[in-house]
Each structure stands twice: as structure tokens, then as C-alpha cells.
């Protein structure tokens, strides 16, 4: 499963403290890659989505998915309540396998919102999920890190906090994410408390909750109620959560238990088939899309049985595999086609869509990592993805979170945000005054329009070196990963935590202490 493997902000509410982020600073950040403390709002895409399926193709896949649901069915394992809910809704339940009358999942999903706001404790950081919005969230799930000293090792809680801090400081990361790495130095049954607290304390961006056990999901909701207030949580989305299908065509008791907790609390779930095509789905794009749609329909509709109106996303994580070794491969054409097609299917269902990120199989932040990540990220944005997990830091097929890759990806996210703004057709964008002033045979470097726009005209990377060979040589012949390493160190050294109400912070700490004291440590 993925958890283990790899200008229209809504008004605030509850117990949140406000932050301050100037619009001018955000605009500068958009052009320059930004720096510590700057922030960009979530993306409102002004470019068209790219579609790979026509009406006939979409209808065919939908028809085939309906056949899978009706004739083959989906297993809901070891959860009697889930099976009872499906039986009461009119499904044919045979043992742990549920067969769905044609149209039943779609009819249930009519109550699911097509878009919603996930609120953060700083209202200016709240994000819209759905429609033309795109939200970038960091890497999720790796047990290893590649640290700033070049070591590949198991992740610690200090690494986790560092990645939360970097994500908080990154302008084009709009979301704090979830399991940025798996802190193995903290007991398995208690680490979720430290991770959720890190998101709440070291960032004021929205965050994800724990899904590794239903009781850990309950702890996440309880902590959210301390942070936001109980009534606010019941009436608004403040946490989003990853619910993986155990592909092919199975939902297990852990994921179902967490999904029930969050749906009942009116919190968002991302129902995501975890697909390695050829192992967990057919080798073809159309076959994979059929299975993905069937699994999402079953899982997303289940959240509406639990609580009609609970926010739910159409998720997909699709990778191809090497047919020689069986290892996952990334940045290849077929998963991009799956993402494009799944995004179209999600829009037809009226659900927000999640996929993609900066995915690669490389073991270090090298050319392979860059090419594969760029291929994945470009298709993610062009598909019209609403929630982008793994947008920064992913390495080694999701087994490692890398500090240097994190910083390099942040730079690329800033470029994607600028690209998503589309073409400026305002009077300034048309630049007719500049063309008239310069005339034939001259240059634009000194004209009034250039002077007025030079600071914000083009995106400026904070990783790439565009100087002369001689200057690059004089400055130490540094590679992109070396510059990223230095940048990460500077950011962490300059980090300042966002303010939090001391009373709320103390209440959170007391809750964590009580929970930890109530059970012995467990590392398995």
C-alpha cells in the first residue's frame, strides 16, 4: 500500500490563529522560487486540461467498470459493519464480496461535494480542493531518508520535523502533507501522535491524518478538535486522509476502519487504488482505468453510506513495472495516460481528483530523478489534478525522502505554478507600449515596460546555475544537488515556527502525554 510503500480564500473559524502573508511577497515568490517564510496560495489553473479519451472511450471504460462491480465484485474484508451497510443499501453481499447493482455507487456519490475547502489554522493558508484548483503536498510514506550528509538511513522524528519545516517554508507547497517519512525511532503505536503534532505546531498549512489504525484516526480527529474546536471540525474539513485500496479489488479492515472514522467526522478521504500495472492491474491502460474506476466507485460510495456529504476524492496512484525485474518504473508514458484518463473519469463523476507528483525510481537526486520527476509532474498538472501528493522529496520509488531532492522539486513546483497562470492578456501583458517605444532594429532592455516588469517578468530558479562557465568554476563548480543541500541547510537554520495559542499547545501536549502513558511501547 502507498502508505507503507511507497484570491478566494474561505473565511476562517474555530480556534485558529491568523498569520500574515503579503500579496506582493507572494507575487515575488511566484517569479523567483521564493524563500523562507514566503507563501503562494493554491493554484487556480488558467490553462486547459489535456484529455486522452473521447466520449466513446470514456463510456466504454465506465461500462466495463460497471460490469466489474456487478459481475466480479469488490471485497470488503473483515468489517462486518461495512458489509451490513452495503447490504442495507441494496448490494448483493456474498461472504466478504460485494456485488453492486448497476448505478448504485454513482447514485450514492451524488451527495459527495464536487469541491470543498480544507481549512488550516492560519485561514490564509486554507486550500480549495476541486474545480480549477491544484494543491501541492509533499512526499508521503518513505521509511528511509537520504540526509544532508549523503547517508541513506532509517528516518527519525527529527527528519520528520525537518521536512514539515521545509514544506512550511516552501512557497509553492500549499499543504503540509502527511507521513513525510516514517520515524522509526518512535514506537509504532505512538508515532502518529508526534507526527500529527509536528504538522500542527511546526506549520500552519493544512495537513493529513493517520490511517494506520482506526484508533489512530480517532486520535487525529481528537487533536483536530483541540486545535480548531469541536463544532468547527464537525461542520468543516480540517484534515484530509489517504485511504488505499488493496488492489486488485480489495479494501481491508485497516483502511475501512480509518475511512469510517474520518467520514463520520466529516473529514475528507482520498480513495486511491495503489496500482503497479502488470502486478496489481492489467498491463494495458484501458484495463487499469477500468479497475481503478471500479475500486474508486466502491470505496468512495462507501464513505457516503457512512455519512452522506462527507468529502471524498477520486484518487489514483499508477506505476508501470519492469517486466524483467518486477520493479516499479516512473516517468514512463503509460502511467501518464492512466492519470489523464482517470482525471477525465473523476470530472465526469463530479469528484475532486488526486494523482501524481515528482516520482522517480532513482536512488540519488541525479538526471534520472530529474527526468522521471519532470515527466510525472508535467502530466499531473496538465491532467487537471486537484490534490498532488508526492510533489516534493520522493526518491527511490517512494522508499526514501531526500532533502536535496525536496529542494530541487520545490523549485520545479514554483515553475509549474507560474505556468498554470497561463498567458497574461491584460494591457500590461499585451506590451503594446513597449513595442511602440522600441520600434524596428532596437532592443527592449532599457525601455520603460521592461524596467517596470523586470523583477517579476520571468521565473528565477533558486537551484539552477545560469551564469558563465568561468563564474560557475570560480564559485566551486557546484552541482544542482550541492546547491540544493546548501539551500536546505540555510532554510532549516533560519526556520521560525508559526505562532500558536499557548493554551491550545498545552492541551495538545497533555493529550499526547495521556495517550502515550495509556499503552506500552510497540515497535511492530
Amino acid at each position: 500500500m502507498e502508505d507503507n510503500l511507497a484570491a478566494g480564500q474561505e473565511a476562517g473559524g474555530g480556534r485558529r490563529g491568523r498569520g500574515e502573508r503579503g500579496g506582493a511577497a507572494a507575487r515575488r515568490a511566484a517569479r523567483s522560487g521564493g524563500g523562507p517564510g514566503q507563501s503562494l496560495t493554491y493554484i487556480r489553473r488558467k490553462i486547459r486540461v489535456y484529455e486522452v479519451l473521447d466520449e466513446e472511450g470514456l463510456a466504454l471504460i465506465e461500462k466495463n467498470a460497471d460490469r466489474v462491480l456487478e459481475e466480479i465484485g469488490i471485497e470488503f474484508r473483515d468489517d462486518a459493519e461495512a458489509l451490513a451497510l452495503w447490504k442495507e443499501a441494496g448490494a448483493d453481499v456474498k461472504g466478504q464480496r460485494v456485488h453492486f447493482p448497476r448505478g448504485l455507487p454513482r447514485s450514492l456519490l451524488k451527495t459527495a461535494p464536487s469541491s470543498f475547502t480544507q481549512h488550516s489554522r492560519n485561514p490564509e493558508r486554507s486550500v480549495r480542493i476541486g474545480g480549477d484548483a491544484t494543491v501541492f503536498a509533499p512526499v508521503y510514506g518513505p521509511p528511509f531518508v537520504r540526509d544532508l550528509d549523503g547517508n541513506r538511513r532509517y528516518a527519525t522524528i527529527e527528519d520528520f520535523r525537518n521536512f514539515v519545516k521545509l514544506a512550511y517554508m516552501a512557497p509553492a507547497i500549499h499543504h503540509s502533507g502527511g507521513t513525510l517519512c516514517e520515524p522509526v525511532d518512535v514506537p509504532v503505536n505512538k508515532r502518529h501522535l508526534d507526527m500529527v503534532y509536528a504538522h500542527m505546531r511546526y506549520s500552519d498549512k493544512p495537513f493529513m491524518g493517520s490511517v494506520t489504525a482506526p484508533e489512530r484516526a480517532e486520535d487525529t480527529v481528537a487533536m483536530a478538535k483541540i486545535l480548531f474546536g469541536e463544532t468547527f471540525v464537525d461542520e468543516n474539513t480540517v484534515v484530509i486522509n489517504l485511504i488505499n485500496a488493496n488492489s486488485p479489488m480489495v479494501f481491508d479492515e485497516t483502511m475501512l476502519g480509518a475511512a469510517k472514522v474520518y467520514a463520520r467526522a466529516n473529514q475528507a478521504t482520498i480513495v486511491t487504488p495503489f496500482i503497479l500495472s502488470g502486478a496489481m492491474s492489467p498491463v494495458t491502460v484501458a484495463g487499469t482505468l477500468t479497475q481503478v474506476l471500479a475500486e474508486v466507485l466502491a470505496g468512495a460510495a462507501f464513505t457516503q453510506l457512512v455519512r452522506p456529504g462527507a468529502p471524498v476524492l477520486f484518487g489514483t496512484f499508477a506505476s508501470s513495472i519492469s517486466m524483467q525485474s518486477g520493479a516499479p518504473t516512473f516517468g514512463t508514458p503509460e502511467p501518464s495516460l492512466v492519470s489523464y484518463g482517470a482525471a477525465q473519469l473523476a470530472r465526469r463523476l463530479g469528484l475532486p481528483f488526486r494523482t501524481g507528483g515528482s516520482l522517480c525510481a532513482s536512488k540519488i537526486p541525479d538526471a534520472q530523478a530529474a527526468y522521471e520527476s519532470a515527466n510525472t509532474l508535467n502530466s499531473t498538472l496538465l491532467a487537471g489534478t486537484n490534490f498532488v501528493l508526492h510533489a516534493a522529496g520522493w526518491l527511490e520509488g517512494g522508499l526514501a525522502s531526500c532533502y536535496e531532492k525536496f529542494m530541487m522539486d520545490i523549485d520545479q513546483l514554483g515553475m509549474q505554478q507560474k505556468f498554470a497562470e497561463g498567458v497574461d492578456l491584460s494591457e500590461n501583458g499585451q506590451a503594446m507600449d513597449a513595442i511602440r517605444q522600441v520600434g524596428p532594429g532596437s532592443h527592449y532592455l532599457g525601455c520603460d515596460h521592461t524596467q517596470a516588469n523586470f523583477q517579476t517578468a520571468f521565473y528565477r530558479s533558486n537551484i539552477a546555475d545560469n551564469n558563465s562557465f568561468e563564474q560557475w568554476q570560480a564559485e566551486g563548480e557546484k552541482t544542482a544537488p550541492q546547491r540544493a543541500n546548501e539551500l536546505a541547510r540555510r532554510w532549516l537554520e533560519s526556520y521560525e515556527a508559526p505562532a500558536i495559542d499557548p493554551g491550545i499547545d498545552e492541551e495538545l501536549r497533555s493529550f499526547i502525554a495521556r495517550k502515550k502513558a495509556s499503552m506500552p511501547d510497540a515497535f511492530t
Side-chain angles (χ1 to χ4, degrees):
M1 285 170 42
E2 190 174 355
D3 187 34
N4 296 319
L5 222 184
Q9 291 289 2
E10 303 260 333
R15 306 172 66 180
R16 295 168 292 166
R18 289 195 172 271
E20 66 290 328
R21 292 292 179 266
R27 287 191 293 274
R28 286 193 298 272
R31 271 67 180 185
S32 67
Q38 294 179 329
S39 179
L40 299 173
T41 62
Y42 64 89
I43 295 171
R44 288 86 158 174
R45 296 185 311 278
K46 297 180 181 178
I47 56 175
R48 294 183 180 180
V49 297
Y50 184 77
E51 298 186 338
V52 297
L53 292 168
D54 59 15
E55 175 62 32
E56 183 179 358
L58 291 166
L60 176 64
I61 289 169
E62 289 171 337
K63 178 182 177 181
N64 288 343
D66 286 343
R67 290 181 60 190
V68 169
L69 290 168
E70 187 174 24
E71 299 171 14
I72 300 169
I74 306 289
E75 289 196 3
F76 285 72
R77 288 185 179 170
D78 302 321
D79 192 318
E81 182 185 18
L83 295 171
L85 286 170
W86 276 121
K87 187 171 184 179
E88 183 180 353
D92 180 16
V93 179
K94 297 178 180 178
Q96 298 192 93
R97 188 171 300 194
V98 180
H99 297 260
F100 305 84
R102 190 155 304 197
L104 175 59
R106 282 188 176 81
S107 67
L108 292 170
L109 284 170
K110 290 178 180 178
T111 59
S114 59
S115 65
F116 62 92
T117 295
Q118 183 184 354
H119 296 269
S120 60
R121 68 179 180 92
N122 177 353
E124 294 184 16
R125 303 291 189 101
S126 297
V127 295
R128 192 73 181 168
I129 298 178
D132 63 357
T134 292
V135 174
F136 288 138
V139 61
Y140 186 109
F144 298 100
V145 296
R146 179 165 288 276
D147 66 23
L148 290 170
D149 295 319
N151 302 309
R152 180 189 186 272
R153 55 172 174 76
Y154 281 109
T156 67
I157 191 62
E158 187 63 24
D159 292 310
F160 186 93
R161 292 168 182 149
N162 282 342
F163 281 116
V164 170
K165 293 172 183 178
L166 291 173
Y168 165 68
M169 299 170 81
I173 288 185
H174 317 107
H175 200 281
S176 194
T179 307
L180 300 173
C181 58
E182 192 74 39
V184 300
D185 57 334
V186 183
V188 171
N189 58 333
K190 300 179 181 181
R191 66 180 60 153
H192 67 287
L193 299 164
D194 293 320
M195 291 191 287
V196 172
Y197 176 75
H199 284 299
M200 292 177 167
R201 181 62 191 93
Y202 300 114
S203 176
D204 61 4
K205 293 182 179 181
F207 59 92
M208 302 177 74
S210 177
V211 297
T212 52
E215 58 271 20
R216 296 169 197 167
E218 290 170 355
D219 287 341
T220 302
V221 173
M223 293 174 70
K225 289 178 178 178
I226 294 171
L227 184 64
F228 291 92
E230 187 167 349
T231 300
F232 190 84
V233 170
D234 187 61
E235 296 175 352
N236 298 274
T237 301
V238 301
V239 64
I240 192 169
N241 313 279
L242 182 61
I243 304 298
N244 283 127
N246 191 356
S247 302
M249 295 173 286
V250 172
F251 287 92
D252 63 35
E253 70 277 14
T254 299
M255 292 290 98
L256 291 170
K260 287 187 292 186
V261 169
Y262 287 121
R264 287 196 175 108
N266 197 33
Q267 302 308 301
T269 52
I270 310 170
V271 176
T272 301
F274 180 71
I275 300 293
L276 302 179
S277 297
M280 299 171 179
S281 76
V283 295
T284 61
V285 170
T288 295
L289 282 171
T290 295
Q291 182 182 310
V292 164
L293 179 57
E295 292 176 358
V296 171
L297 281 168
F302 175 70
T303 67
Q304 302 307 293
L305 290 178
V306 175
R307 178 167 173 167
V312 61
L313 282 73
F314 184 127
T316 184
F317 179 95
S319 166
S320 52
I321 63 171
S322 167
M323 300 309 290
Q324 288 71 44
S325 68
T329 56
F330 299 94
T332 53
E334 296 82 8
S336 291
L337 291 170
V338 171
S339 293
Y340 286 129
Q344 290 182 257
L345 293 166
R347 287 191 288 271
R348 284 164 71 92
L349 273 176
L351 295 179
F353 180 63
R354 171 261 156 157
T355 194
S358 300
L359 310 182
C360 67
S362 184
K363 314 307 177 284
I364 58 174
D366 60 2
Q368 179 185 343
Y371 281 125
E372 292 177 353
S373 294
N375 286 344
T376 310
L377 186 60
N378 288 340
S379 62
T380 295
L381 184 69
L382 291 175
T385 305
N386 301 118
F387 188 81
V388 182
L389 204 52
H390 313 304
W394 168 291
L395 203 63
E396 201 182 322
L399 288 175
S401 297
C402 175
Y403 285 86
E404 292 159 349
K405 176 74 160 35
F406 198 94
M407 303 308 292
M408 294 165 72
D409 289 339
I410 285 170
D411 187 41
Q412 295 300 305
L413 298 181
M415 294 187 189
Q416 293 286 340
Q417 180 133 8
K418 172 61 176 169
F419 178 72
E421 293 178 4
V423 178
D424 178 11
L425 295 177
S426 68
E427 184 175 350
N428 182 70
Q430 294 173 58
M432 289 300 296
D433 54 339
I435 298 171
R436 189 174 292 110
Q437 179 183 351
V438 172
S442 187
H443 64 76
Y444 288 85
L445 292 175
C447 81
D448 294 340
H449 184 272
T450 300
Q451 293 298 308
N453 287 277
F454 80 94
Q455 287 185 314
T456 59
F458 306 120
Y459 182 90
R460 294 195 298 275
S461 170
N462 56 14
I463 297 292
D465 187 302
N466 301 300
N467 296 316
S468 67
F469 174 81
E470 290 78 14
Q471 185 172 346
W472 169 78
Q473 193 173 45
E475 293 176 353
E477 302 182 352
K478 294 174 184 175
T479 65
Q482 287 174 326
R483 293 190 291 272
N485 185 296
E486 293 176 356
L487 189 62
R489 291 178 185 273
R490 289 200 302 270
W491 281 27
L492 290 172
E493 288 172 1
S494 66
Y495 168 81
E496 294 181 8
I500 190 171
D501 185 298
I504 292 176
D505 190 37
E506 177 58 32
E507 194 173 347
L508 286 168
R509 289 176 177 270
S510 296
F511 175 86
I512 292 169
R514 290 195 305 272
K515 291 297 294 189
K516 287 187 173 182
S518 71
M519 51 188 164
D521 291 352
F523 282 92
T524 58

